[in-house]
Every structure is written in C-alpha cells, then in structure tokens.
Amino acid sequence: MLCVLLGFGENAQSVYSGIHSRDHAWAIESIRKKNRMKKYMVVEKFKPNCFEKNNELWNRKGRMLPEGLYYLNSWVNKAENICFQLMETNQPELFDEWTEKWKEYTEFEVFPID
C-alpha cells in the first residue's frame, strides 16, 4: 500500500495505490487540520474590454500566486465580466502582491470567510 501526500491545507492531494478510501480521506483531513488556513472569496471584476486580455495573460503566465497563497476553485460569469475565486492563506498581505500583477485588467475585492 502506497500513499504520497502532496501540498498543504486544502490543496493537499494524494497519489495512492491500494489504500482504502476511508483511510485516504482521513490522511488528507489530518493534513488539512494541521495546516488550517483562512479562506477568502476573491471577486474579480474585469475592466471594460479586458476579459480576453486577462485570459491571455493567464494562459501565458498562470495565476502568478506568491508562495503561501493558494487557489481552491473559481467560477466565471463572462456575461457579467466577473470571476469568483475561493482561495486560502495565513498571510492575507499576499493578496496585495498577487493583485498588483493583474491590476491592468482587473479590479479585486477580497472577503474573508468566517
């Protein structure tokens, strides 16, 4: 039985072979509890005519997240020019570093989730 756990917090993933799913879930939850991070909802509002430019930058460079800021999931509404991203960190000041890289195309609001 082999289980390799990769990542921290909610980003923990596993590569496993022959391990019972209940044990797998326990191992992942154990890592998440040890590395509990605060979650945030990030609301991205694309500036006029910048949705495609933003997407091109993402395709070239990825999310450009600083170490310690983690992406969990996102939902885009292209018709409304908006994206919601669920993220986590224990260092909220990292949002400033990250959003600075995207400010040409996007306005951000960051909301802590209790």
Side-chain angles (χ1 to χ4, degrees):
M1 188 179 318
L2 170 67
C3 179
V4 178
L5 299 172
L6 308 170
F8 297 98
E10 295 293 326
N11 292 323
Q13 299 176 10
S14 68
V15 179
Y16 66 95
S17 172
I19 189 169
H20 190 278
S21 62
R22 182 186 58 212
D23 295 332
H24 172 252
W26 173 86
I28 294 295
E29 188 58 28
S30 176
I31 286 178
R32 288 179 177 157
K33 284 180 181 176
K34 284 182 183 178
N35 300 295
R36 185 73 64 195
M37 293 191 188
K38 179 89 174 148
K39 289 186 179 44
Y40 296 84
M41 180 58 67
V42 178
V43 180
E44 289 184 68
K45 296 178 183 173
F46 302 106
K47 293 179 180 179
N49 303 312
C50 287
F51 184 88
E52 295 303 327
K53 292 175 186 175
N54 186 84
N55 200 38
E56 288 170 11
L57 180 61
W58 184 83
N59 285 328
R60 279 196 327 271
K61 295 191 175 187
R63 285 194 168 76
M64 299 187 288
L65 295 172
E67 184 66 33
L69 180 60
Y70 301 98
Y71 166 86
L72 300 176
N73 208 340
S74 62
W75 303 266
V76 176
N77 183 324
K78 188 174 179 180
E80 297 296 325
N81 253 1
I82 197 165
C83 177
F84 301 93
Q85 292 196 52
L86 181 60
M87 303 179 84
E88 68 180 1
T89 187
N90 285 329
Q91 303 170 58
E93 64 276 7
L94 293 175
F95 282 108
D96 291 334
E97 181 182 337
W98 176 62
T99 58
E100 182 69 21
K101 298 172 185 175
W102 296 94
K103 70 180 183 179
E104 182 178 354
Y105 307 119
T106 309
E107 296 173 354
F108 292 88
E109 290 183 79
V110 178
F111 299 94
I113 298 174
D114 297 328

